[in-house]
Amino acid sequence: MSFSSYVPTKVFCGRGCVREYGAAMKPLGAHALIVTGKSSARCGALQDVCAALAANGQDYTVFDRVLPNPTLACVREGVALARAAGADLVVGVGGGSPMDAAKAIAVLAVEARADEAVFAGGYGEAALPMAHVPTTAGTGSEVTPYAILTDDFARTKTSISSPALFPKFAFLDGSYTDGLPLQITRDTAADALSHAVESMLKKSSSPASETFAKESLRILYPRLKSLEDLTEETRDALLWASCLAGMAIAQTGTTIVHGMGYFLTYDRGVAHGRANALLLGETLRLCEEKGVPALGEICVACGASVDEICKTLSHLCGARENVPRETLERYAARTMSNKNIGKCKFDPTQGDVLRILLRSLGDGSFIG
Ligand code: NAP
Ligand code: FE
C-alpha cells in the first residue's frame, strides 16, 4: 500500500491561544486584511486578533462584510480592499464563510482572473499567507486547501482548490463558539460529521485520512446527542473534532452528500451543515444496502449502529423540508456532473442519488 499525507497548517489549540501564540503571525506580513462577518466579529475573536497583530507591530484593515455562502462579488470587494490597503497577509475570522472568502481573496489578490475563470482550476502556488480563526465548529476550513463559493454560472456552490489555500496557522479557541445559537451549533456539527463520513467513503481515503476521520467521529458522534447547554469541554471537543474532519477532507475531499447538498443551499437557502444533515442518514442507509465495507468502520468509530446514527441525525434536523419530486430529479441529474461523485467508493448511479433525495426530502409517496 502506498499513500501520502499533506496537512501543512500549524494548529494552535486551547482557550486564549490567539493571545498566547499570536506572535507566530509576525513573519507573515506587515499589513493584514482581516476577513470576517458581523456576528463572527462579536464573539471575541476579532478583538483578540487585532490585539495580537498590534502587539506584533502589524497594521490591519478589517473587512467585515462577508455573508453566509460568500459570493464572487464579496470576494472582489475584499481583493480591492486588500490592494488598496497594501495588505500582504490575510486573517480569516469566522465560520466557513469568512474563512473561505479570506482564502479566495488571498489567492485572487495575487492571481488575477476573470469571473468566468475563477472556478476553472489550475491555480498556482501563490497566495497571500493566511492565518485562520474559526468561530463555528464545523467546516474545518482552517486546515483545508479549499474555498467554497456561490457559483452563479453553475447555479450551485463550487470549490476552488489549491495547496496555496492551506492557511499557515489555525488558532482553535473554543471560547469563540460558546455563544453559538443552538441551530448553528447543530448545523455545523452535522457538517463536521459529514466531512468525516464522506472522507471515509472516498476511494482516495488512506490510513492517514482515516486516522483523522475516525478520531473525529469518536469525539464528535457521542456529543451530537445533546447539543443543548454545552460545557466548555464539549465546545472545545467539537472544535477539535471539526478540525480533525477538516484534516481528513484536506486529503480526500468530500463526495456525494456535499454534492447533493450544494443545490439545497443554492436554490433553497438551506444552511450548509443542515443540507448535509438532511441527506447523510439516507446515504448511510444506501451504503448499508450496498454492503459498503467502510460503513462498518464508520459505525465502530461512532460507537453506534446505522439506525442509531440516523435517529441522531433526525433529531438534529427536526422537521424536514419537503421538495417536489421534479426538483429532486433535477438535482439528481445535476449531482452526477460533480467530479467528486465518481470518486465515491460505491460508485453512485443517478438512481441512487435520486433515491437518497426522495427518501430524505420527498413527500413520502416514494417507496423503494
Ligand atoms: P457560516 O456561513 O460561516 O456562518 C453561519 C452563521 O453563523 C452566520 O450567520 C454567522 O454570522 C454566524 N456565526 C459565526 N460564528 C458565530 C459565533 N461565534 N457566534 C454567533 N454567530 C456566529 O457557517 P459555517 O457553517 O461555519 O460555514 C459554512 C460555509 O463553509 C459554507 O459556505 C460552506 O460551503 C463552507 N465550507 C467550507 C469548507 C472548506 O473546506 N473550505 C468545508 C465545509 C464547508 P455572521 O455571518 O454575521 O458572522
Ligand atoms: Fe461542509
Side-chain angles (χ1 to χ4, degrees):
M1 177 195 309
S2 66
F3 62 94
S4 64
S5 175
Y6 185 59
V7 190
T9 304
K10 179 162 186 171
V11 180
F12 296 99
C13 216
R15 290 180 178 240
C17 65
V18 175
R19 290 190 296 275
E20 201 170 340
Y21 300 108
M25 291 187 285
K26 192 167 178 170
L28 296 188
H31 191 124
L33 181 77
I34 303 176
V35 180
T36 188
K38 290 277 185 270
S39 309
S40 327
R42 281 197 290 267
C43 65
L46 178 63
Q47 220 179 338
D48 287 348
V49 166
C50 292
L53 292 170
N56 294 341
Q58 291 164 299
D59 291 328
Y60 57 83
T61 299
V62 178
F63 175 53
D64 67 355
R65 291 163 53 80
V66 182
L67 299 175
N69 304 304
T71 59
L72 213 40
C74 161
V75 170
R76 294 279 182 220
E77 200 181 332
V79 170
L81 193 57
R83 291 214 174 110
D88 51 2
L89 140 77
V90 176
V91 184
V93 176
S97 297
M99 289 195 286
D100 284 4
K103 288 170 161 179
I105 291 167
V107 74
L108 291 175
V110 298
E111 184 171 336
R113 290 212 177 193
D115 284 0
E116 306 74 42
V118 166
F119 299 106
Y123 282 92
E125 290 291 320
L128 297 180
M130 284 176 280
H132 280 199
V133 185
T135 67
T136 62
T139 70
S141 178
E142 68 276 9
V143 292
T144 72
Y146 317 120
I148 291 119
L149 302 178
T150 295
D151 178 356
D152 290 320
F153 297 104
R155 299 189 54 74
T156 182
K157 288 174 63 102
T158 304
S159 67
I160 60 178
S161 167
S162 161
L165 292 184
F166 274 117
K168 296 272 185 280
F169 300 113
F171 294 91
L172 268 60
D173 180 336
S175 73
Y176 304 143
T177 67
D178 283 342
L180 272 178
L182 177 60
Q183 193 56 53
I184 297 176
T185 302
R186 284 181 170 153
D187 293 347
T188 47
D191 191 24
L193 182 78
S194 202
H195 294 161
V197 167
E198 287 179 76
S199 180
M200 294 286 294
L201 293 178
K202 257 337 240 303
K203 287 175 185 166
S204 56
S205 76
S206 70
S209 67
E210 287 172 16
T211 299
F212 292 124
K214 287 178 187 173
E215 178 63 357
S216 176
L217 293 173
R218 186 189 69 78
I219 297 169
L220 182 59
Y221 180 76
R223 292 174 168 86
L224 291 181
K225 289 180 225 163
S226 48
L227 290 176
E228 302 80 12
D229 299 325
L230 297 182
T231 61
E232 289 186 0
E233 182 278 333
T234 304
R235 286 285 185 196
D236 294 352
L238 292 175
L239 188 57
W240 176 230
S242 156
C243 184
L244 284 167
M247 291 175 182
I249 57 165
Q251 303 181 61
T252 61
T254 54
T255 174
I256 182 167
V257 181
H258 274 62
M260 294 183 287
Y262 288 147
F263 296 110
L264 292 180
T265 301
Y266 187 91
D267 275 2
R268 312 180 84 85
V270 178
H272 172 70
R274 175 172 178 79
N276 297 325
L278 288 164
L279 299 163
L280 183 57
E282 291 301 337
T283 302
L284 293 175
R285 289 209 189 279
L286 192 74
C287 289
E288 193 174 33
E289 287 164 27
K290 287 178 175 278
V292 178
L295 181 64
E297 296 184 63
I298 291 166
C299 289
V300 169
C302 291
S305 65
V306 173
D307 278 352
E308 285 164 343
I309 299 172
C310 289
K311 212 168 131 200
T312 303
L313 284 164
S314 291
H315 174 68
L316 285 180
C317 291
R320 283 170 182 265
E321 287 77 350
N322 212 243
V323 181
R325 183 179 180 112
E326 313 77 69
T327 307
L328 295 177
E329 284 173 350
R330 216 162 10 91
Y331 291 166
R334 293 177 67 203
T335 298
M336 296 313 288
S337 63
N338 182 316
K339 62 183 184 321
N340 281 320
I341 302 304
K343 297 177 185 167
C344 182
K345 279 178 180 163
F346 62 92
D347 287 314
T349 63
Q350 191 168 323
D352 292 334
V353 174
L354 182 59
R355 196 166 296 125
I356 294 168
L357 287 165
L358 287 169
R359 287 176 179 173
S360 306
L361 301 160
D363 62 9
S365 58
F366 173 77
I367 312 282

